[in-house]
């Protein structure tokens, strides 16, 4: 069996910590085994390793999330990269075509698909393994996992089973689906044995490959990647699941939670405070502060206070799910991003009549480096504020430490490598500050050094 983890979305319900570059699954707010902090994706990946499933797992994601996944999972995961975001049907189809073309995967092999960020016990992944046997024994099109509901939720979809189970185990044929019902309707569904739809399902690889053929889409990976823009922007549920004639559901009775809101996320945090601040006389209030300035909360209960370079949220926890609709109109660039080499934070942005000025604070981990590159329409000034490193400027090597300033003119070739953890302030000035302005010469430090010395 192969596993496909879906990693996407911007997680606007967890604004301001989540943004288009750092979705909710990458927020390091959960306690790890060594009492440090870990993200949802790190937690799930460790659980997959514990269950001997990581080697057969690929992660389907967009280009914007590649570096943060590689960084948080230490380059252990195989990635299938969407050229741009569409929806779950295109993403799963691309993953299936990759496994069909390059993954040495037979058409009869079972593919299980699940979100990258469920909050579950390890027993959950034993049930995922059971999907394979269920498909083979029932000869079904698609097998779903259904979570036994603990309360009548209005935010989950429901799987309504037929009353009779299949002969060989407690597995049900699926009668129908119900998306996000009212509380009263949800209670009726639960009374009739319905399950929460946790977004986990499985199928034979050949089932989806044949579906793509019938729909007229390419099945070879390179061809499908080239035609990716032509795939409909639609969910797998609407495009495939609703057309399947033979669907079963495996009940899961263990712990499962979707940490998609501040309410649910803070319930699983071990501490009420992360970051600089003071929290006094405030019952069931959580503070998460990513800035260096202190935040003081006094006598405010049942609240979430989240502070990041993207903004500040102060909300009653019960009202916090509404944040998505409130911030959906914000059209600002992410002010914080994690990269393979470290992270950067936008400190300031100004636009004058004919210039843009962008100021960033960058942290490069020891031995990490930026590519050898030059710019077509902007200058940069680097001020080293801590640590030691090596700068290459127009093929010349310069050792730098705290207090040194490097000025990079238009067209200057430049790169930097951290010897120790290195922090610097970068000021960009140009007519237009865009990614397309960067011309990369080389990303490999050894090859960069060879270029210099040869």
């Amino acid at each position: 069996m192969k596993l496909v983890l879906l990693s996407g979305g911007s997680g606007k319900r967890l604004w301001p910590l989540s943004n288009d570059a750092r979705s909710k699954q990458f927020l390091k707010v959960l306690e790890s085994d060594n009492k440090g902090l870990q993200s949802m994706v790190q937690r799930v990946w460790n659980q997959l390793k514990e269950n001997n499933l990581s080697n057969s797992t690929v992660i389907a994601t967009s280009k914007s999330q590649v570096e943060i996944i590689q960084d948080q999972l230490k380059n252990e995961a195989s990635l299938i990269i969407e050229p741009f975001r569409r929806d779950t049907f295109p993403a799963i189809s691309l993953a299936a075509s990759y496994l069909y073309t390059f993954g040495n995967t037979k058409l009869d092999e079972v593919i299980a698909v699940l979100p990258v960020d469920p909050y579950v016990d390890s027993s959950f992944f034993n049930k995922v393994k059971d999907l394979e046997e269920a498909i083979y024994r029932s000869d079904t099109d698609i097998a779903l996992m259904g979570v036994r509901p603990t309360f009548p939720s209005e935010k989950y979809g429901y799987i309504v089973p037929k009353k009779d189970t299949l002969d060989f185990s407690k597995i049900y044929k699926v009668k129908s689906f119900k998306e996000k019902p009212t509380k009263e309707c949800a209670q009726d569904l639960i009374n009739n044995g319905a399950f929460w739809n946790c977004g986990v399902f499985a199928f034979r690889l050949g089932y989806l490959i044949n579906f793509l053929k019938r729909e007229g889409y390419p099945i070879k990976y390179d061809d499908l990647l080239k035609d990716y823009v032509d795939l409909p922007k639609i969910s797998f549920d609407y495009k495939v699941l609703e057309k399947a004639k033979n669907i079963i559901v495996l009940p899961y009775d263990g712990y499962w939670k979707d940490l998609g809101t501040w309410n649910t996320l803070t319930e699983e945090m071990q501490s009420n405070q992360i970051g600089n601040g003071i929290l006094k006389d405030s019952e069931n209030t959580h503070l998460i502060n990513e800035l260096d300035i202190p935040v003081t909360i006094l006598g405010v209960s049942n609240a979430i206070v989240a502070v990041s370079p993207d903004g500040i949220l102060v909300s009653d926890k019960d009202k916090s799910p509404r944040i998505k609709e409130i911030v959906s109109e914000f059209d600002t660039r992410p002010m914080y991003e994690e990269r393979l080499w470290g992270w950067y934070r936008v400190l300031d942005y100004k636009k004058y009549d004919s210039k843009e000025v962008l100021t960033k604070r960058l942290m490069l981990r020891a031995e990490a480096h930026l590519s050898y590159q030059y710019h077509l329409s902007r200058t940069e000034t680097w001020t080293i504020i801590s640590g030691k490193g090596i700068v290459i400027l127009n093929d010349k090597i310069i050792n730098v430490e705290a207090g040194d300033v490097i000025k990079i003119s238009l067209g200057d070739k430049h790169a930097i490598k951290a010897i120790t953890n290195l922090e610097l302030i970068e000021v960009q000035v140009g007519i237009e500050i865009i990614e397309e302005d960067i011309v990369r010469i080389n990303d490999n430090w050894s090859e960069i050094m060879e270029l210099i010395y040869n």
Side-chain angles (χ1 to χ4, degrees):
M1 182 171 71
K2 295 288 197 307
L3 270 64
V4 175
L5 301 186
L6 299 179
S7 178
S10 59
K12 290 289 180 64
R13 288 188 181 89
L14 295 178
W15 184 91
L17 267 62
S18 60
N19 56 38
D20 286 339
R22 183 178 57 159
S23 303
K24 67 173 184 176
Q25 60 265 33
F26 304 116
L27 304 181
K28 293 181 181 179
V29 295
L30 303 174
E31 187 174 280
S32 62
D33 292 338
N34 61 9
K35 303 302 180 182
L37 293 176
Q38 65 179 345
S39 67
M40 301 178 205
V41 69
Q42 288 174 317
R43 187 175 188 274
V44 166
W45 189 254
N46 288 332
Q47 290 175 316
L48 289 171
K49 290 199 289 188
E50 290 168 6
N51 286 273
N52 298 315
L53 289 170
S54 59
N55 288 337
S56 57
T57 298
V58 298
I59 300 179
T61 188
S62 61
K63 289 193 294 185
S64 63
Q65 293 185 358
V66 168
E67 287 198 25
I68 193 170
I69 291 176
Q70 290 175 330
D71 177 43
Q72 292 200 357
L73 301 187
K74 304 184 186 304
N75 276 316
E76 293 179 357
S78 298
L79 304 184
I80 296 169
I81 304 167
E82 300 175 84
F84 37 81
R85 289 177 182 169
R86 301 293 284 169
D87 209 322
T88 54
F89 169 67
I92 294 168
S93 298
L94 191 65
S97 70
Y98 177 88
L99 294 172
Y100 173 70
T101 307
F102 302 116
N104 194 27
T105 308
K106 297 179 180 178
L107 290 174
D108 196 47
E109 191 165 349
V110 172
I111 310 299
V113 179
L114 57 156
V116 77
D117 56 359
Y119 192 85
V120 293
D121 295 329
S122 284
S123 61
F124 178 87
F125 296 97
N126 290 325
K127 183 62 70 172
V128 171
K129 292 177 183 178
D130 292 342
L131 290 169
E132 182 177 33
E133 182 185 5
I135 283 185
Y136 287 143
R137 295 191 66 178
S138 64
D139 196 32
T140 191
D141 292 335
I142 297 177
L144 308 172
M145 268 182 62
V147 174
R148 193 84 62 180
T150 54
F151 66 98
S153 172
E154 300 172 88
K155 66 177 184 177
Y156 299 143
Y158 287 75
I159 304 168
V160 183
K162 294 182 179 178
K163 295 295 184 182
D164 53 322
T165 62
L166 298 179
D167 293 336
F168 58 87
S169 64
K170 290 184 178 179
I171 296 176
Y172 299 86
K173 290 186 176 181
V174 172
K175 179 181 178 182
S176 61
F177 299 93
K178 183 68 176 179
E179 277 299 312
K180 298 181 180 179
T182 62
K183 188 173 182 179
E184 293 75 16
C185 180
Q187 187 60 62
D188 288 340
L189 290 167
I190 293 173
N191 294 341
N192 284 281
F195 303 98
W196 283 336
N197 187 349
C198 62
V200 178
F201 54 90
F203 50 82
R204 286 181 175 88
L205 177 61
Y207 176 78
L208 186 54
I209 293 299
N210 289 331
F211 182 92
L212 292 173
K213 284 181 181 178
R214 291 195 303 271
E215 294 286 319
Y217 300 118
I219 58 173
K220 293 290 187 179
Y221 176 78
D222 290 337
D223 295 333
L224 190 62
L225 190 64
K226 186 170 59 178
D227 293 348
Y228 199 73
V229 68
D230 297 325
L231 267 65
K233 193 173 184 180
I234 190 172
S235 73
F236 188 89
D237 287 5
Y238 289 132
K239 184 67 176 177
V240 180
L241 192 58
E242 288 190 352
K243 298 178 182 179
K245 295 183 172 60
N246 187 8
I247 311 174
I248 60 173
V249 57
L250 284 70
Y252 171 67
D253 296 319
Y255 193 78
W256 174 86
K257 201 171 196 179
D258 174 20
L259 304 187
T261 66
W262 283 116
N263 252 343
T264 54
L265 180 61
T266 53
E267 286 172 356
E268 302 302 335
M269 288 172 54
Q270 297 301 308
S271 171
N272 282 58
Q273 180 177 333
I274 297 174
N276 192 1
I278 298 172
L279 190 58
K280 290 286 187 181
D281 301 331
S282 301
E283 185 177 346
N284 191 32
T285 288
H286 282 76
L287 166 64
I288 305 174
N289 182 12
E290 293 189 330
L291 301 184
D292 295 330
I293 58 174
V295 174
T296 301
I297 303 171
L298 180 61
V300 180
S301 296
N302 196 45
I304 172 66
V305 178
V307 182
S308 87
D310 282 306
I312 298 172
L313 170 68
V314 180
S315 173
D316 179 273
K317 283 188 177 177
D318 294 336
K319 303 291 185 183
S320 64
R322 293 177 51 200
I323 190 64
K324 181 178 181 180
E325 62 190 67
I326 293 172
V327 304
S328 61
E329 296 180 3
F330 289 2
D331 187 24
T332 56
R333 58 166 294 152
M335 304 295 278
Y336 174 87
E337 289 193 45
E338 291 180 29
R339 296 292 182 89
L340 200 54
W341 43 261
W343 54 260
Y344 78 78
R345 178 182 300 164
V346 174
L347 301 178
D348 188 52
Y349 171 76
K350 291 287 188 295
K351 189 169 184 178
Y352 301 99
D353 292 338
S354 60
K355 286 184 180 179
E356 294 184 21
V357 181
L358 181 67
T359 306
K360 293 181 178 180
R361 181 173 179 171
L362 290 78
M363 194 288 289
L364 281 74
R365 282 187 290 273
E367 300 301 317
H369 69 276
L370 304 183
S371 64
Y372 201 32
Q373 58 184 252
Y374 62 90
H375 300 293
L376 300 172
S377 61
R378 72 174 186 244
T379 64
E380 291 182 347
T381 302
W382 291 345
T383 302
I384 311 301
I385 57 175
S386 69
K388 295 183 178 182
I390 300 170
V391 168
I392 300 176
L393 183 62
N394 292 325
D395 298 342
K396 293 182 180 179
I397 296 175
I398 306 169
N399 292 312
V400 294
E401 58 184 16
D404 289 337
V405 177
I406 302 294
K407 294 187 177 181
I408 302 163
S409 300
L410 197 69
D412 281 353
K413 296 179 292 182
H414 58 282
I416 186 169
K417 180 180 180 179
I419 297 173
T420 65
N421 285 351
L422 179 73
E423 291 197 42
L424 61 96
I425 301 296
E426 178 182 85
V427 180
Q428 304 174 5
V429 180
I431 297 172
E432 187 179 25
I433 298 175
I434 55 176
E435 282 296 309
E436 290 75 13
D437 167 64
I438 301 173
V439 179
R440 301 188 193 280
I441 301 169
N442 201 307
D443 286 319
N444 184 289
W445 189 260
S446 297
E447 293 177 3
I448 293 170
M449 295 303 288
E450 286 181 15
L451 288 173
I452 303 306
Y453 285 113
N454 293 332

